[in-house]
């Protein structure tokens, strides 16, 4: 139990927080700390006056607690001290958030959420996202108490150490029980929107009046930093628009960031903003000890089914620490030995570091049998569903397991040199529509560019609040939110395969989400059109230059630049199967021919020969191209051949796949004895040195583009047949 001094501290800090954020419904406002300046008090009063009556505290109904209050207190303090002890042992970490958020997190994991700790991947589990990922010891403590095998006490003691299951921010690929990788602020809440979207979509598609097999909630905790990042507003705007009623987000309202009080930079009314975004908003004024307030807020949130809910929970960062609570010093550093001892005394905690009281262990141990029962009950329900609705069950099973339907790849179109030429963005649309007919979990959309990216699925309508069963996602002009939402969709179920689209240059707006795709092994397909100066008159603001090279440098990312229809289909074949690696397809605006020698099978190798008149693996020169410039390389080869030279033309559609091939295969394409190599790509030449070698030549663009018709741009920037021929002749 908390000591008298602790409760006094709690009330003082809570008084300040309520004054900081506004009065209660009766118009009574508690005074701010005496240290507050006059201007600070004026700002606080301004906020009080601006608080809208619609934003209310949690309903004051009595909610029966299913657990003895003393056990709740001990459980909450167990979470706090597991976090304190782990951070202290590591001499690194963020103890403040776990100390402040322990009450709401305890109620979620112990009283509300449905999960099976012995099967973290049970399909119909509730999902939880710690968007404020720096506070990850909160989550590790919860997983440990709940009985997840992935977080044993020894793992807690190895917090932030090499090879541990408890890294410095939550990593879904490292720790079973973690849904998504968070840390970059705002990404997590956007992922949660994707998870909730996936639930709503699958429920609309597969639930029947007599069989509800998709029914789970998505919960998230986000902090002031998440609220400040623009990505959170993008994603939460969409969540409100889509009416994601099973998304419940807890806003850890502690008004402290790394630099100090949030008053220095963040004074907007978050409640009113979220109301404007279409969310239901509840305020829990006492997040430190107001367990019943938290319970009532969750009950109210669940009763609102047509919109997501933001529960603003006013907490004290570092709750219980006599000298550091409610300050930035408890945010991102260990408390220190003396303050840990003072906190133990303050909260009346007599236990050794990492010790969980026996009655707390016993209390939490019920989650293992209860979780097993939840899953077995659902499995029985699904078995009955499968008998009654076999067709729907087969599709849902594909989504749950990630097993693609037999022969799905045969739906991809193929082309011959006689087929009409077309822009690869148009050829991409043919592939997207073919895949949507045979891959049950295929869905996606564009950042307000569907008619230009050519990403509309013609057989389906729009996913909207009233039509969540449809598969076209309308993201609006929100690239960053779009990418992060797709990460959430991909990580919801192995067989959900989301794609998203914009102009390639605007990956700059969502690079953070794309990096998290790669890190968290989310196999999102990024459909990026207008891939070079070939887009023409829109000019350098829209013409990507350094982008291809930058994504080739990103780990666990497949960067495709297909040259024609067969290569576009080949890229999609790989992208669909690579569920733990995101794929980026850079596609042309301009029309390109169907080239002889290209193939779906060739793309699987990353780099392959499309034409060669040499023998003995000894061509006089090797010409290497990607995308729209592969045609230029092929045409240059014909000129050089007329002069009696042997020429090999290689498509280097995906460097990463080529790197995975055997040394023997690589030697068959790029023999080490042939140093006469020329590459051509309408982009930065950065990185091509490793392909062409020290004596090779790279033709590209190492400056920004310009506004003019595409053919003129190619001529002015030297992306021409003549440039390739001249470079090749320099070797002879």
């Amino acid at each position: 139990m908390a000591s008298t001094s602790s409760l006094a501290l709690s009330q003082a800090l809570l008084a300040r927080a309520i004054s900081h954020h506004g009065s209660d419904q009766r118009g009574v406002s508690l005074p701010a700390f005496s240290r507050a300046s006059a201007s600070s008090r004026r700002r606080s009063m301004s906020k009080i006056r601006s608080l809208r009556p619609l934003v209310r505290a949690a309903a004051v109904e009595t909610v029966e607690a299913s657990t003895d209050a003393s056990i709740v207190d001990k459980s909450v303090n167990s979470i706090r001290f597991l976090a304190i002890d782990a951070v202290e042992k590591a001499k690194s970490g963020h103890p403040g958030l776990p100390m402040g958020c322990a009450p709401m997190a305890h109620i979620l994991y112990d009283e509300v959420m449905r999960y099976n700790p012995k099967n973290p991947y049970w399909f119909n589990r509730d999902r939880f996202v710690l968007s404020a990922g720096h506070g990850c010891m909160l989550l590790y403590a919860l997983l440990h108490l709940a009985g997840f095998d992935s977080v044993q006490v020894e793992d807690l003691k190895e917090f932030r150490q090499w090879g541990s299951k408890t890294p410095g921010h939550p990593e879904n690929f490292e720790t079973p029980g973690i849904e998504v990788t968070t840390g970059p602020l705002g990404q997590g809440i956007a992922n949660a929107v994707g998870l909730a979207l996936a639930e709503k979509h699958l429920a609309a598609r597969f639930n029947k009046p007599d069989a509800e097999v998709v029914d789970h909630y998505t919960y998230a905790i986000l902090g002031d930093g998440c609220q400040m990042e623009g990505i959170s507003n993008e994603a939460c705007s969409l969540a409100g628009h889509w009416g994601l009623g099973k998304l419940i987000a807890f806003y850890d309202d502690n008004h402290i960031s790394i630099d100090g009080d949030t008053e220095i930079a963040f004074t907007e009314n978050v409640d009113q903003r979220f109301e404007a975004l279409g969310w239901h908003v509840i305020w829990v004024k006492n997040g430190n000890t107001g367990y019943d307030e938290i319970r009532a807020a969750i009950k109210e949130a669940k009763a609102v089914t047509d919109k997501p809910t933001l529960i603003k929970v006013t907490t004290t960062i570092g709750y219980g620490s006599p000298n550091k609570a409610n300050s930035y010093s408890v945010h991102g550093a260990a408390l220190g030995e003396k303050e840990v001892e003072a906190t133990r005394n303050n909260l009346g905690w007599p236990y050794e570091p990492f010790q969980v009281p026996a009655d707390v262990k016993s209390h939490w141990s019920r989650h293992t049998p209860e979780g097993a029962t939840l899953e077995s009950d659902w499995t029985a329900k699904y078995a009955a569903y499968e008998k009654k609705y076999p067709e729907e069950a087969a599709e849902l099973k594909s989504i749950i397991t990630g097993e693609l339907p037999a022969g799905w790849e045969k739906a991809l179109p193929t082309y011959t040199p006689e087929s009409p030429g077309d822009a690869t963005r148009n050829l991409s649309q043919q592939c997207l529509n073919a895949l949507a007919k045979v891959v049950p979990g295929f869905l996606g959309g564009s950042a307000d560019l569907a008619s230009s990216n050519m990403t509309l699925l013609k057989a389906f309508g729009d996913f909207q609040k009233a039509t969540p069963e449809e598969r076209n996602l309308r993201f609006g002009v929100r690239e960053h939110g779009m990418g992060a939402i797709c990460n959430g969709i991909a990580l919801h179920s192995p067989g959900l395969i989301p794609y998203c689209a914009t102009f390639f240059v605007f990956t700059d707006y969502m690079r953070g989400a794309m990096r998290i795709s790669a890190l968290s092994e989310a196999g999102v397909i990024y459909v990026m059109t207008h891939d070079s100066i070939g887009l023409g008159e829109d000019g350098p603001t829209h013409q990507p230059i350094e982008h291809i090279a930058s994504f080739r440098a990103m780990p666990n990312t497949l960067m495709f630049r297909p040259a024609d229809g067969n290569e576009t289909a080949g890229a999609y074949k790989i992208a669909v199967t690579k569920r733990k690696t995101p794929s980026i397809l850079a596609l042309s605006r301009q029309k390109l021919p169907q080239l002889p020698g290209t193939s779906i099978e060739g793309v699987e190798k990353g780099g392959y020969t499309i034409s060669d008149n040499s023998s003995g693996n000894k061509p006089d020169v090797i010409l290497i191209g990607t995308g729209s410039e592969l045609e230029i390389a092929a045409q240059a080869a014909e000129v050089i051949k007329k002069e009696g030279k042997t020429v090999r033309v290689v498509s280097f559609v995906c460097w990463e796949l080529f790197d995975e091939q055997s040394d023997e295969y690589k030697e068959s394409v790029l023999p080490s004895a042939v140093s006469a190599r020329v590459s051509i790509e309408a982009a930065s030449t950065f990185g091509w040195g490793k392909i062409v070698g020290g004596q090779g030549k790279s033709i590209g663009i190492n400056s920004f583009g310009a506004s003019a018709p595409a053919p003129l741009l190619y001529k002015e920037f030297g992306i021409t047949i003549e440039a390739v021929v001249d470079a090749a002749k320099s070797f002879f």
Side-chain angles (χ1 to χ4, degrees), residues 78-106:
S78 293
I79 294 166
R80 288 184 176 125
F81 280 99
L82 286 174
I84 290 169
D85 294 339
V87 172
E88 193 65 27
K89 186 174 186 297
K91 304 299 180 190
S92 172
H94 300 75
L97 182 146
M99 295 167 72
C101 290
M104 68 178 99
H106 161 82

Side-chain angles (χ1 to χ4, degrees), residues 312-339:
K312 183 177 80 169
V313 186
T314 298
T315 66
T316 302
I317 189 171
Y319 176 87
S321 170
N323 303 301
K324 294 189 176 182
N326 197 46
S327 72
Y328 68 89
S329 61
V330 79
H331 169 83
L335 294 178
E337 187 177 340
K338 289 183 179 179
E339 190 66 12

Side-chain angles (χ1 to χ4, degrees), residues 121 127 131 266 442 455 525 558 562 678:
Y121 306 108
R127 272 75 170 171
S131 188
F266 186 58
F442 202 72
T455 49
I525 301 175
L558 296 178
V678 179

Side-chain angles (χ1 to χ4, degrees), residues 322-371:
N323 303 301
K324 294 189 176 182
N326 197 46
S327 72
Y328 68 89
S329 61
V330 79
H331 169 83
L335 294 178
E337 187 177 340
K338 289 183 179 179
E339 190 66 12
V340 169
E341 187 61 30
T343 305
R344 275 185 153 76
N345 293 334
N346 193 37
L347 291 177
W349 194 250
Y351 303 97
E352 294 296 314
F354 298 102
Q355 182 182 355
V356 176
D359 50 353
V360 173
K361 282 185 180 178
S362 175
H363 171 74
W364 280 82
S365 67
R366 77 188 193 284
H367 288 290
T368 293
E370 287 179 2

Side-chain angles (χ1 to χ4, degrees), residues 543-581:
Q543 292 164 354
I545 298 294
E546 73 281 12
H547 298 71
I548 296 174
S550 71
F551 286 114
R552 286 174 179 153
M554 188 176 284
N556 192 38
T557 301
L558 296 178
M559 178 67 245
F560 292 94
R561 191 161 182 255
D564 64 3
N566 286 329
E567 289 202 339
T568 302
Y572 274 110
K573 181 181 177 183
I574 297 295
V576 167
T577 58
K578 292 282 190 178
R579 292 298 77 231
K580 292 189 175 184
T581 301

Side-chain angles (χ1 to χ4, degrees), residues 9 23 31 124 140 154 303 318 377 438 444 449 485 552 558 631 648:
L9 172 69
S23 65
N124 206 41
Y140 299 146
E154 292 306 315
D377 288 350
V438 295
L449 288 167
I485 288 169
R552 286 174 179 153
L558 296 178
E631 175 195 6
R648 176 177 296 174

Side-chain angles (χ1 to χ4, degrees), residues 6-17 31-33 316 326:
S6 172
L7 293 176
L9 172 69
S10 166
Q11 294 309 313
L13 296 177
L14 184 62
R16 192 272 169 113
F33 281 164
T316 302
N326 197 46

